Amino acid sequence: MAKSHTTVDQLRHDIDRGRTHDKVDFPDPAAVPLGSDEEAAGTQVTPFEASQARHDETGRPASKAGAPGLESNPRKANLFIVLGAGIAGTLALLALAT
């Protein structure tokens, strides 16, 4: 039986599933898929390199805040809500004044 090797596609799948702890579980439609640079240069990623990268990326512990974004920082989310409400209010007053 052939030994299973890690591929760049498996690494990308781990990243898209949030297993690298730096983004949420959602597919990322990349304009240039992972590994395209190596393919264009004519140098394929070896199974060892792909395996090492996958181990390095998925071996990190999750941070306490989780994936980056507004949900991990409620103060930042509140700031955007207040700014949005202020802008909407200003636009409403300008519309009434004209």
Side-chain angles (χ1 to χ4, degrees):
M1 180 184 272
K3 184 178 179 183
S4 173
H5 292 290
T6 298
T7 65
V8 175
D9 286 335
Q10 289 170 322
L11 174 58
R12 191 183 83 218
H13 185 264
D14 287 344
I15 293 169
D16 286 347
R17 293 286 135 331
R19 293 185 188 122
T20 58
H21 309 292
D22 58 355
K23 65 177 289 211
V24 296
D25 179 6
F26 192 78
D28 189 5
V32 181
L34 198 59
S36 295
D37 290 339
E38 290 81 3
E39 183 179 343
T43 58
Q44 294 293 331
V45 176
T46 66
F48 174 77
E49 292 170 331
S51 179
Q52 186 64 40
R54 190 176 187 200
H55 177 268
D56 291 346
E57 291 293 325
T58 58
R60 291 182 296 197
S63 67
K64 290 182 181 179
L70 296 178
E71 66 279 352
S72 66
N73 190 342
R75 291 188 69 193
K76 187 185 283 186
N78 290 338
L79 175 66
F80 282 115
I81 291 169
V82 169
L83 285 174
I87 291 170
T90 302
L91 291 175
L93 287 174
L94 287 173
L96 289 174
T98 57

